[in-house]
Amino acid sequence: MSNDEFRAFYEEHARWLWAYVAKLSGCQSTADDIVQEAFLRMMTANLPINMSQEHRKHYLYKVATNLTRRAAARHHEDIAELKIEAPAEHHDDILVVRQAMGRMRRLESGILWLAYVEKLSHREIGQILGYRENSVRPLLHRAKGKLLRLLRGDSTAANGSLNR
Amino acid sequence: MSRCPSEEEILALLGAEPLPAWTDHLSGCPSCRENVRAISALQLEAKALWHAARIPTASEMLQKARMRDLHQVECRLVRPITLMENLCVWTSSVLALILTVTASSSAPGRLIVILPVGCTSAAVLLMWVRGCRILTRALRGDTSSPVARGH
């Protein structure tokens, strides 16, 4: 990957990766560290020269997901609510979804994000999160159901069965 | 609430383009409406986070990657020298121990031969250790080392 290719790749994906890790970890400083570490690992790893941009992106998300899991296990953290100002025009919608996702498990947040923000296929989500393609559909369905229940204000939904 | 068969199709389109073709369906399907509301809110949250992202520039990342590469090369270069240095320290310690034991159990006449040989060997080993240290520091870019200063 040449420097110019890297610059273009970084400009396209770095902010989205930061948003994903911030959502997953609930901590901005953790996201700062993990995004840098994931990119450094991608740059210093002996990846095939002809590796496609899509595969590089998946590699990056996989590394970031694993680093986030490890950081969370080390600090025994739950997902916290992010202290980021929501834009005024969608303030209430964002706050509600933020509160709901703050009560979800890490895997559930991750799977929803990859499916509906990154718009990845079930196979790609499986590769990133370490699940088989067939397992992703029910996991995604359950995570979405839980998000809807939490948005409706069902407090018992937070005790779902998906593992972190 | 029952699951709508069009749900996945609508959610896949969400965020990418407006949903005029689905307006009628959405007005009559509470399940899809709720899903669209939830996932739209998630996408808005994603955009808010995207704007708040604190990331270094691409040039800074390239610089950091170069530094990490150099550090890895340095570690690979320094490893055999460190190994040699450790070997010398252990050899000199064992040699000193053997000489002490031999000298204490030998006749005083032989002590005159053993002591200079022992002292010379120990001095050579210490110089070798010192040399290894200077070389290691030079490879790590320590400017206080004589090699890095050009002496």
Side-chain angles (χ1 to χ4, degrees):
Chain A
M1 199 180 210
S2 70
N3 283 2
D4 288 339
E5 280 172 340
F6 172 76
R7 276 176 217 278
F9 181 80
Y10 184 79
E11 295 301 331
E12 190 179 344
H13 298 295
R15 281 181 176 274
W16 287 115
L17 185 69
W18 189 93
Y20 169 69
V21 178
K23 185 86 246 168
L24 218 58
S25 62
C27 174
Q28 295 172 66
S29 55
T30 303
D32 296 346
D33 294 342
I34 287 177
V35 168
Q36 287 191 38
E37 183 59 29
F39 269 102
L40 284 176
R41 285 193 188 187
M42 188 198 77
M43 291 157 82
T44 51
N46 288 321
L47 298 178
I49 297 167
N50 56 355
M51 194 177 191
S52 71
Q53 299 277 314
E54 280 305 299
H55 280 101
R56 274 185 198 277
K57 180 186 165 185
H58 299 160
Y59 176 84
L60 201 59
Y61 273 78
K62 189 171 185 167
V63 171
T65 305
N66 290 338
L67 288 171
T68 310
R69 276 180 184 158
R70 241 173 277 162
R74 219 176 20 246
H75 302 300
H76 306 286
E77 282 172 353
D78 286 331
I79 303 179
E81 251 183 71
L82 286 164
K83 307 277 183 295
I84 290 172
E85 199 62 40
E89 66 266 37
H90 304 297
H91 189 267
D92 293 346
D93 287 343
I94 290 178
L95 236 53
V96 168
V97 84
R98 204 175 272 177
Q99 275 173 358
M101 288 189 84
R103 298 181 65 191
M104 294 177 80
R105 292 170 196 268
R106 212 172 301 280
L107 170 65
E108 295 165 336
S109 292
I111 209 164
L112 283 172
W113 191 277
L114 294 173
Y116 297 118
V117 176
E118 293 296 332
K119 300 213 174 273
L120 299 180
S121 69
H122 291 173
R123 186 177 58 81
E124 293 166 328
I125 295 172
Q127 281 171 358
I128 290 170
L129 296 178
Y131 286 95
R132 275 182 294 180
E133 188 180 347
N134 294 340
S135 313
V136 173
R137 184 182 291 273
L139 288 174
L140 179 60
H141 181 66
R142 261 186 277 168
K144 196 170 62 190
K146 184 169 173 180
L147 176 65
L148 293 175
R149 284 198 302 280
L150 285 166
L151 289 174
R152 276 183 226 131
D154 181 358
S155 60
T156 57
N159 306 317
S161 60
L162 291 183
N163 295 323
R164 271 177 206 280
Chain B
M1 206 177 292
S2 63
R3 198 176 169 200
C4 175
S6 309
E7 184 185 303
E8 286 304 319
E9 201 179 340
I10 293 174
L11 292 181
L13 289 172
L14 207 62
E17 54 185 284
L19 300 166
W22 295 96
T23 314
D24 290 342
H25 175 81
L26 285 175
S27 59
C29 179
S31 162
C32 282
R33 235 185 2 255
E34 192 182 23
N35 274 305
V36 166
R37 218 190 78 225
I39 302 304
S40 298
L42 176 63
Q43 288 174 349
L44 289 172
E45 161 77 331
K47 279 182 192 154
L49 288 179
W50 187 91
H51 285 292
R54 303 180 304 199
I55 50 163
T57 63
S59 303
E60 283 169 346
M61 285 307 296
L62 284 167
Q63 186 69 26
K64 282 182 184 181
R66 235 170 268 136
M67 298 282 281
R68 185 171 283 198
D69 266 342
L70 283 173
H71 180 70
Q72 283 172 353
V73 169
E74 175 203 302
C75 286
R76 275 204 300 275
L77 284 173
V78 165
R79 205 174 298 141
I81 299 171
T82 312
L83 195 76
M84 202 62 194
E85 188 184 322
N86 290 339
L87 194 71
C88 287
V89 169
W90 282 105
T91 312
S92 58
S93 307
V94 171
L95 193 69
L97 190 71
I98 291 169
L99 281 172
T100 312
V101 171
T102 316
S104 59
S105 62
S106 298
R110 286 178 67 189
L111 210 62
I112 299 165
V113 181
I114 291 166
L115 271 179
V117 171
C119 289
T120 313
S121 306
V124 167
L125 279 168
L126 285 172
M127 280 163 71
W128 176 249
V129 169
R130 173 88 180 128
C132 284
R133 289 218 170 126
I134 290 169
L135 199 58
T136 311
R137 282 219 303 268
L139 280 169
R140 287 191 170 142
D142 183 353
T143 48
S144 62
S145 84
V147 175
R149 284 201 308 257
H151 287 256

